[in-house]
């Protein structure tokens, strides 16, 4: 059992739930209602669901890796993925005028750090 990786899994699951539930009214619906072109709206909807699936599958993969006590390339790839998400959102947030304009970089960074800690400490 790798508790760091399991914590990373819970953080990734929080990202998935936050995206799918909280983000629906905060971001998706307002953006969707501002788009008049149906093709663009369809692309937004597809991207929205792809992100939700990605977060959820990452959380499940980390759960399995953490429960098995394994560390392999998958954990490092998920850590790198969430680190990349964190960097993108932090840069955009700073460009918008403040570190907390887009707070999402914090759970992304937390997921990356916990997952990397799990990968480092696994046998």
């Amino acid at each position: 059992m790798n508790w760091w990786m399991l914590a990373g899994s819970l953080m990734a699951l929080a990202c998935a739930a936050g995206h799918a539930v909280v983000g629906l009214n905060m971001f998706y619906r307002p953006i969707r209602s501002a788009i008049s072109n149906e093709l663009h709206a369809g692309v937004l909807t597809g991207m929205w669901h792809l992100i939700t699936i990605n977060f959820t599958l990452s959380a499940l993969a980390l759960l399995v890796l953490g429960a098995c006590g394994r560390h392999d390339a998958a954990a490092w790839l998920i850590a790198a993925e969430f680190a990349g998400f964190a960097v993108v959102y932090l840069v955009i947030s700073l460009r918008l005028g403040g570190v907390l304009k887009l707070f999402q970089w914090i759970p992304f960074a937390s997921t990356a750090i916990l997952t990397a800690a799990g990968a480092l400490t696994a046998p």
Side-chain angles (χ1 to χ4, degrees):
M1 193 74 65
N2 185 318
W3 296 106
W4 289 107
M5 202 147 329
L6 291 174
S9 173
L10 288 176
M11 227 29 246
L13 190 59
C15 291
H19 178 79
V21 178
V22 177
L24 187 67
N25 289 323
M26 188 180 292
F27 296 107
Y28 175 76
R29 286 189 176 141
I31 294 169
R32 173 63 184 89
S33 68
I35 299 173
S36 59
N37 182 296
E38 284 303 310
L39 177 61
H40 296 164
V43 170
L44 171 71
T45 300
M47 288 182 352
W48 186 265
H49 292 301
L50 291 175
I51 292 166
T52 304
I53 291 166
N54 179 274
F55 288 169
T56 304
L57 289 177
S58 294
L60 291 173
L62 290 173
L63 177 68
V64 169
L65 291 170
C68 294
R70 294 182 52 190
H71 99 281
D72 57 16
W76 286 112
L77 289 171
I78 294 169
E81 173 186 36
F82 276 87
F85 294 160
V87 168
V88 167
Y89 267 77
L90 179 58
V91 168
I92 294 170
S93 188
L94 292 170
R95 286 185 178 175
L96 290 173
V99 72
L100 294 178
K101 287 287 186 176
L102 292 176
F103 63 90
Q104 292 92 331
W105 69 268
I106 297 169
F108 295 156
S110 299
T111 302
I113 291 166
L114 290 167
T115 301
L120 283 171
T121 60

